[in-house]
Amino acid sequence: AWVSHWLRSQDPQEEPLPWLVPLVTDRWPDVRWIGLCICTSLADSEHGRRELEKAGEKFVGGLWGFVFAILLDEVECGFVRQQVSLIAV
């Protein structure tokens, strides 16, 4: 229900999920974790996965490069790494 609200765009030319990148790249782990929780919820639907992939094109290596960079970062907070691992499965 709420996922479709997040995915709904007023303008088809608008970039997908413009608010997502600032959340998952924030310097505070709590904010990154919340952004990744939203990503995990979005990834539960086919439409959400497509939009997440499009939004992930902003990262070097795309969404999967971003996911694996966090997973392999030993300095990253554990709960952030745990949440990003849920996107990978």
Side-chain angles (χ1 to χ4, degrees):
W2 70 269
V3 172
S4 61
H5 174 72
W6 286 107
L7 293 173
R8 197 172 321 137
S9 174
Q10 304 295 21
D11 180 10
Q13 301 300 324
E14 181 180 295
E15 68 180 63
L17 310 171
W19 44 267
L20 184 64
V21 174
L23 281 179
V24 297
T25 58
D26 195 89
R27 68 184 199 142
W28 295 101
D30 297 3
V31 176
R32 288 194 304 277
W33 178 77
I34 290 168
L36 292 167
C37 287
I38 293 170
C39 289
T40 303
S41 296
L42 290 173
D44 282 342
S45 73
E46 183 66 34
H47 185 220
R49 281 191 297 274
R50 281 194 310 268
E51 293 299 308
L52 204 52
E53 289 270 343
K54 287 181 199 170
E57 291 173 358
K58 296 178 185 145
F59 301 116
V60 175
L63 177 65
W64 297 112
F66 175 73
V67 165
F68 287 110
I70 291 176
L71 278 174
L72 299 173
D73 184 356
E74 294 178 4
V75 180
E76 181 59 85
C77 193
F79 63 91
V80 172
R81 291 172 71 189
Q82 178 187 22
Q83 194 61 41
V84 82
S85 71
L86 296 174
I87 295 171
V89 292

